[in-house]
Amino acid sequence: MANSSRAPGRSRRLRAALVVSAAVGLLATAGAVVLPGSASAASTLGASAAERGRYFGTAVAVSRLNDSAYTTILNREFNQVTAENEMKIDALQPNQGQFNYGNADRLVQHARSQGMLVRGHTLAWHSQQPGWMQNMSGTTLRNAMLNHVTQVATHFRGQIEWWDVVNEAFQDGSSGARRDSNLQRTGNDWIEAAFRAARQADPNADLCYNDYNIDNWNDAKTQAVYRMVQDFKSRGVPIDCVGLQSHFTGGSNYPSNYRTTLSSFAALGVDVHITELDIRNAPTDAYRNVVNDCLAVARCKGITVWGIRDSDSWRSSENPLLFNGSGQKKPAYDAVLAALNNGTAPPTGNPTTPPPGAGCTATVTPGQVWGDRYNTSVTVSGASTWSVVVAITAPQKISSTWSGNPTWDSSGNVMTMRSNGSGNTFGFTTMMNGNSSARPQIRSCTAG
Ligand code: G3I
């Protein structure tokens, strides 16, 4: 299926929702409100990125969701998640034909309850193949790979914003060649076959090619991936985005031409994502540069760091992340947040009559508080018809609403409130259910 035949869907809507969104953090005790676009700066990575039409995410290890220190940072700071290992082929199909979605589903449910976007990682890869697949070749392997893509993308349909359809298919070094693997040996067209199968299974997810060491524009590997994407676009192979893993360590440091790489891929008509960022010893300059480079390229949709605390990292001895092992913010965190806050919001068109899908601003006013519940009102500006996504922290629950049409996600914790002609202010009552400190978060505001 060619890109042009794609149905407008969830992916497009969610992307629009991040354009000038209003990720509003409420400081419950002081009643202070951080407003998007106001002089007061956002105080979390996700909220600040959202104000600039981006996400800021992290890789998550599902086993750590039981660690409250970990989950507290996750829920507070990030508005996008990638499963670090739980959506890999060996995790999802340990025996041929036997799919094991438990851990991956748990992550998706957690993300949805918090209003976070989910990146699927990864459908086809030479690594982390289960034993049964490692032993396959030829048509049998090609069909097994395509079946995996179809089954998994179908299972998660409607819940994944971006799929890393194919991961790490090119060689390092100067050859610019494909990496040798059992998948490559099934024929050079295995990558496009995987993309076509993914598009068919989930037409509304954005489909990405993801790799490491494609950050330096002058590298042969970067150029080879660039040529593949160019070729795919010219032949209508359904590719929407390129993920630059950006593991900056040792031999692959942050390159000064990184912005050129991002903008060059974007110029091919694909979005770019920074998908697995970590930097040895977390230097503030390099982290700041990455953020500034992403913000400078309109099609750079967001940044995902590869773990939360240094102790969670796959290379923990290098301390490459934004939080130390005790969960405290490192200088790199401050540099990233400041760079995000200094970034300009994306253009929104005419602010009084934005086109459908463009942004609006939602401003929260805390209302009356009782022993067991509290009121909140939200005023929308920049649009006369709109939808606003509000996330509630469980076990709190919204018990009643007014002046809008609400719908809910399956968790019941994320409400989408749509205008119903009764003005630009809606409100709701939230039952505390034992949690008296949490307050609602506005995830996005979308006009039209
Ligand atoms: O969970 C088992 C544990 O039960 C067992 O005792 C232990 C010893 O073998 O292994 C544990 O599984 C490990 C898993 O991480 C969870 O910690 C695997 O062996 C190990 O191979 C796996 O490593 C992951 C690696 O990908 C390989 O899939 C890393 O966590 C993960 O961070 C890393 O992520 C990759 C991206 O997917 C692609 N880009 C590069 C990136 C870094 O290598």
Side-chain angles (χ1 to χ4, degrees):
M1 185 196 305
N3 285 352
S4 54
S5 62
R6 214 175 149 197
R10 180 181 160 277
S11 180
R12 304 278 177 235
R13 289 196 304 276
L14 278 174
R15 216 165 324 133
L18 281 173
V19 175
V20 187
S21 65
V24 178
L26 288 183
L27 302 180
T29 44
V33 181
V34 180
L35 295 176
S38 72
S40 46
S43 59
T44 66
L45 303 172
S48 187
E51 288 177 14
R52 277 139 202 99
R54 269 68 171 206
Y55 63 81
F56 203 99
T58 180
V60 168
V62 170
S63 60
R64 292 196 170 88
L65 290 177
N66 298 324
D67 172 349
S68 65
Y70 179 88
T71 310
T72 298
I73 302 172
L74 170 65
N75 294 351
R76 186 187 70 217
E77 296 288 343
F78 298 100
N79 56 4
Q80 180 273 335
V81 290
T82 304
E84 186 174 0
N85 287 302
E86 294 79 357
M87 290 190 191
K88 292 175 179 175
I89 313 170
D90 59 352
L92 292 185
Q93 197 180 173
N95 299 302
Q96 190 172 16
Q98 181 218 319
F99 289 83
N100 179 3
Y101 291 114
N103 284 330
D105 282 346
R106 191 171 161 215
L107 177 60
V108 170
Q109 277 157 18
H110 183 89
R112 287 168 71 84
S113 77
Q114 298 292 320
M116 298 166 174
L117 306 176
V118 183
R119 176 179 206 87
H121 173 80
T122 174
L123 292 171
W125 191 19
H126 69 277
S127 182
Q128 298 298 113
Q129 292 181 1
W132 63 266
M133 187 181 270
Q134 289 174 31
N135 293 328
M136 281 182 173
S137 62
T139 308
T140 315
L141 173 61
R142 173 69 70 94
N143 289 338
M145 179 273 286
L146 292 175
N147 182 56
H148 183 85
V149 171
T150 300
Q151 298 290 329
V152 172
T154 301
H155 174 83
F156 290 108
R157 185 159 50 202
Q159 305 184 83
I160 301 289
E161 191 72 7
W162 311 274
W163 268 115
D164 289 337
V165 178
V166 170
N167 196 40
E168 301 175 357
F170 280 79
Q171 259 180 40
D172 292 315
S174 58
S175 72
R178 294 281 185 88
R179 174 195 295 277
D180 179 51
S181 71
N182 59 350
L183 290 167
Q184 182 62 30
R185 276 175 252 132
T186 69
N188 209 48
D189 62 345
W190 73 275
I191 298 182
E192 60 195 84
F195 274 85
R196 291 185 203 279
R199 177 69 97 229
Q200 200 167 5
D202 186 353
N204 292 330
D206 273 7
L207 306 182
C208 302
Y209 175 78
N210 191 53
D211 214 331
Y212 66 91
N213 281 354
I214 57 167
D215 315 292
N216 188 323
W217 180 238
N218 296 326
D219 283 354
K221 187 171 174 181
T222 310
Q223 292 296 314
V225 172
Y226 177 85
R227 283 194 300 274
M228 179 187 74
V229 176
Q230 190 175 41
D231 171 52
F232 280 10
K233 293 298 287 183
S234 73
R235 291 191 294 113
V237 176
I239 185 168
D240 305 301
C241 36
V242 172
L244 290 82
Q245 294 184 9
S246 304
H247 293 291
F248 293 132
T249 55
S252 60
N253 289 317
Y254 165 81
S256 58
N257 59 21
Y258 190 60
R259 192 178 298 189
T260 301
T261 307
L262 295 173
S263 60
S264 300
F265 276 116
L268 291 176
V270 290
D271 291 335
V272 287
H273 298 250
I274 297 166
T275 54
E276 304 183 15
L277 180 65
D278 52 16
I279 314 182
R280 187 169 63 169
N281 297 327
T284 52
D285 279 356
Y287 264 110
R288 182 184 304 113
N289 287 339
V290 169
V291 172
N292 286 336
D293 290 343
C294 181
L295 293 177
V297 176
R299 292 197 80 142
C300 182
K301 295 300 173 185
I303 299 173
T304 307
V305 286
W306 204 241
I308 297 178
R309 302 164 302 196
D310 287 331
S311 50
D312 303 318
S313 171
W314 68 301
R315 38 183 33 154
S316 56
S317 64
E318 297 181 359
N319 298 317
L321 296 174
L322 302 179
F323 294 86
N324 69 18
S326 310
Q328 287 161 336
K329 297 169 182 172
K330 294 165 58 180
Y333 172 97
D334 297 329
V336 166
L337 183 60
L340 288 168
N341 279 333
N342 285 336
T344 50
T348 58
N350 180 340
T352 54
T353 53
C360 46
T361 299
T363 304
V364 168
T365 305
Q368 200 169 350
V369 181
W370 296 271
D372 62 343
R373 63 195 193 279
Y374 60 90
N375 282 350
T376 305
S377 61
V378 178
T379 300
V380 177
S381 59
S384 52
T385 58
W386 36 264
S387 61
V388 176
V389 177
V390 181
I392 300 297
T393 304
Q396 293 193 352
K397 218 50 162 187
I398 293 178
S399 56
S400 63
T401 71
W402 53 93
S403 305
N405 285 333
T407 54
W408 307 85
D409 80 337
S410 57
S411 73
N413 295 322
V414 179
M415 171 179 76
T416 300
M417 181 66 93
R418 292 187 172 77
S419 50
N420 67 354
S422 59
N424 270 5
T425 297
F426 67 90
F428 52 94
T429 300
T430 308
M431 303 306 297
M432 293 175 186
N433 294 331
N435 180 342
S436 58
S437 61
R439 287 297 181 268
Q441 288 195 313
I442 306 293
R443 296 290 187 190
S444 64
C445 186
T446 307

